[in-house]
Amino acid sequence: MILQLLEMLMNNIGEPIHKQVIDVGLLPILVKIVKKKSDLPVREKIFLLLDATQTSLGGASGSFPQYYSAYYDLVVGTASTVFY
C-alpha cells in the first residue's frame, strides 16, 4: 500500500516528490529492499517503479540522475535475479 501511495505521488506531483525522495534518502532504502532475498512482489514493484521513474525522467542525463543510478545498481547487482 505504501508503494502504491509513493507511485501515485511520484506520478501526480512530480518534481517536488522526486526531489524529496532523494533528499530524505529513500532511494538507497528502496534499493536495499530490492536486494534482499525476501518478498518478491514488493521487490518487483520497487524495481518496476524505479525503472519507470528513471525512464520518464530521462535516464542518466535526465533531471534526476540519482534514479538512473539506483536502477542501474539494481540491474547490475541483480543480474542473476529475474524480475520480468
Side-chain angles (χ1 to χ4, degrees), residues 41-53:
V42 172
R43 292 171 50 216
E44 183 176 28
K45 180 75 171 169
I46 294 169
F47 182 80
L48 294 174
L49 176 62
L50 290 176
D51 181 22
T53 302

Side-chain angles (χ1 to χ4, degrees), residues 5-45:
L5 177 60
L6 178 60
E7 182 177 25
M8 183 190 70
L9 290 171
M10 290 171 83
N11 290 336
N12 293 308
I13 296 176
E15 190 168 318
I17 292 299
H18 297 306
K19 186 172 177 358
Q20 190 74 16
V21 167
I22 293 165
D23 290 347
V24 300
L26 189 56
L27 275 178
I29 294 168
L30 294 173
V31 169
K32 204 179 288 187
I33 291 170
V34 174
K35 287 184 174 182
K36 287 188 177 184
K37 301 292 183 205
S38 63
D39 207 356
L40 183 61
V42 172
R43 292 171 50 216
E44 183 176 28
K45 180 75 171 169

